[in-house]
Amino acid sequence: MGIRIGIVGAGTTVAIADRHVEGFLAQEGRCTVAAVCSRTLEGCRRLCIRHGLDGVRMTTRLEELLDVVDAVVLCTPNQFHLPYTERAVERGKAVLLEKPLGLQTAPPGQAERLLARRGARVMVAYVYRYTAVVGRLRALLRQRMGRVYLAQASQGGTRLADPAVPLEWRMRRSASGSGALGDFGSHLLDLLQYAAGVELAEAAGYGGTFLPNRRPDGQGNTCVENDDAFVFCGRGTGGALCSVSVSRVGLDGIHLCISGEGGLLRASVEEGVLTYWPKAPDGPYAPEGEARSEHLAEPPGLRFARQAAAFLDLVEGRPVEYCTLEQAVHLERLLTRLDQSAQ
């Protein structure tokens, strides 16, 4: 049977729960999906059918799920991330927590209580860490770059550019906090810190809501309350200058460009393409023709399988590198300050 996994949240808008289930099913007997909790039993049933899961406890109550599992994957709207994490940790469960944390929607002091709890096992699901291209980018930066001068990052999507898409929970501050800033900006700040060692010490930015009214959701709400796009720039603790652009209404994938003493690295994460143009630390760039590209494209499911394996290592007490709750809280406090300053 292995480690008993519980999935909380079975929504299909972006199907993140499905991706997590696939990641754990790829672990060759190390674990089993033992329970699913969602707003409706029908949502639980459909998730199980999609993945051929049998003998799974299905419930609409978190406590019932916690009774029968060893570890929990939280795929809910942001407003439930920290409250549900606290309830799971109080029961001694390990947690794989989807980003962003939902600091803006959490009760006061909840993040601090979780950080103060000794022995809590919480991994924050920054899944792009587990792509081949980011792994290679990180290795080259450590081997070749030296001091970083400039870092540029962008991420976005196109699904919500269609004005016909109805209002979703991620467009309401009470459920999501910020919009594209939290959803995509959190990924980019994590990648800049994890891969390039660039941690922002200060930043300022601007947000915009370009489709302020949507078709009504199930409760008749139509007003978009947070940002469709956000841009910000800042300075890292080591002096690197950074610029970040995110949009849920028209950017493609994740793109990183980092330059410094050892040259220039450009990565298109979704496409799996990495280009390195070398430079001598105390000299010029190599001729442009010496820039080399590596093609590291792979099925998207592999990143979730690698993340699932790392989480199981954490549950089993094995040494593993992962985004801790403390790191994620620090990152999202910066995003919260950016969001508040731009309103």
Side-chain angles (χ1 to χ4, degrees):
M1 177 181 290
I3 296 167
R4 299 171 299 168
I5 301 293
I7 304 294
V8 182
T12 57
T13 303
V14 296
I16 193 65
D18 292 83
R19 305 291 82 76
H20 282 294
V21 169
E22 291 164 357
F24 285 106
L25 290 178
Q27 299 312 306
E28 299 182 353
R30 290 184 68 189
C31 63
T32 183
V33 178
V36 177
C37 176
S38 196
R39 289 185 303 110
T40 66
L41 290 177
E42 180 62 17
C44 298
R45 188 181 70 84
R46 289 178 178 176
L47 179 69
C48 291
I49 289 173
R50 287 195 297 274
H51 300 282
L53 301 175
D54 296 320
V56 174
R57 177 76 65 87
M58 292 181 282
T59 179
T60 59
R61 297 179 56 250
L62 178 63
E63 297 303 324
E64 185 176 340
L65 175 138
L66 294 175
D67 287 339
V68 298
V69 303
D70 305 305
V72 178
V73 184
L74 292 180
C75 309
T76 64
N78 302 346
Q79 69 191 102
F80 302 113
H81 284 179
L82 289 180
Y84 284 10
T85 296
E86 186 168 42
R87 288 162 64 180
V89 167
E90 287 173 348
R91 296 283 299 273
K93 312 302 179 182
V95 178
L96 177 57
L97 174 58
E98 264 301 325
K99 41 60 61 188
L101 300 182
L103 286 185
Q104 293 172 289
T105 62
Q110 192 156 59
E112 287 72 21
R113 288 197 303 274
L114 276 166
L115 290 174
R117 184 177 284 271
R118 298 185 64 180
R121 296 167 295 166
V122 180
M123 172 188 286
V124 182
Y126 284 110
V127 70
Y128 293 105
R129 288 184 174 208
Y130 301 95
T131 58
V133 68
V134 169
R136 179 62 174 150
L137 173 68
R138 189 188 196 203
L140 279 173
L141 283 165
R142 291 185 169 193
Q143 296 165 7
R144 305 285 183 86
M145 184 57 70
R147 184 183 178 192
V148 173
Y149 299 155
L150 185 68
Q152 299 171 306
S154 67
Q155 183 182 6
T158 58
R159 181 180 67 87
L160 298 180
D162 183 357
V165 174
L167 193 78
E168 298 178 0
W169 64 262
R170 58 182 44 80
M171 302 172 187
R172 295 186 291 111
R173 282 198 169 271
S174 60
S176 178
S178 63
L181 176 64
D183 199 7
F184 298 134
S186 59
H187 269 309
L188 295 180
L189 287 189
D190 178 70
L191 287 176
L192 288 174
Q193 182 171 334
Y194 171 75
V198 174
E199 180 180 343
L200 287 187
E202 55 183 320
Y206 296 92
T209 304
F210 301 103
L211 298 173
N213 294 289
R214 294 276 185 171
R215 292 170 54 194
D217 61 11
Q219 289 75 47
N221 301 305
T222 62
C223 182
V224 176
E225 300 171 349
N226 54 23
D227 55 284
D228 284 329
F230 208 100
V231 296
F232 62 92
C233 59
R235 187 186 303 273
T237 54
L241 299 179
C242 305
S243 63
V244 176
S245 302
V246 294
S247 173
R248 63 188 181 194
V249 293
L251 276 177
D252 61 326
I254 297 177
H255 302 278
L256 305 171
C257 184
I258 300 165
S259 62
E261 288 180 325
L264 183 149
L265 278 158
R266 182 178 289 110
S268 295
V269 175
E270 300 286 0
E271 293 84 356
V273 178
L274 178 65
T275 300
Y276 176 47
W277 187 1
K279 173 188 175 298
D282 297 317
Y285 271 85
E288 190 169 353
E290 293 187 18
R292 292 290 181 265
S293 294
E294 299 180 41
H295 297 270
L296 303 165
E298 57 188 0
L302 281 180
R303 69 188 69 151
F304 285 92
R306 293 180 187 126
Q307 179 176 254
F311 180 60
L312 295 178
D313 286 343
L314 174 65
V315 177
E316 294 171 346
R318 301 183 184 184
V320 61
E321 185 177 16
Y322 64 97
C323 181
T324 67
L325 184 63
E326 182 177 12
Q327 291 169 334
V329 167
H330 178 75
L331 181 157
E332 289 197 28
R333 281 175 174 159
L334 173 60
L335 291 176
T336 298
R337 293 195 298 271
L338 278 166
D339 182 46
Q340 292 171 343
S341 69
Q343 290 181 42

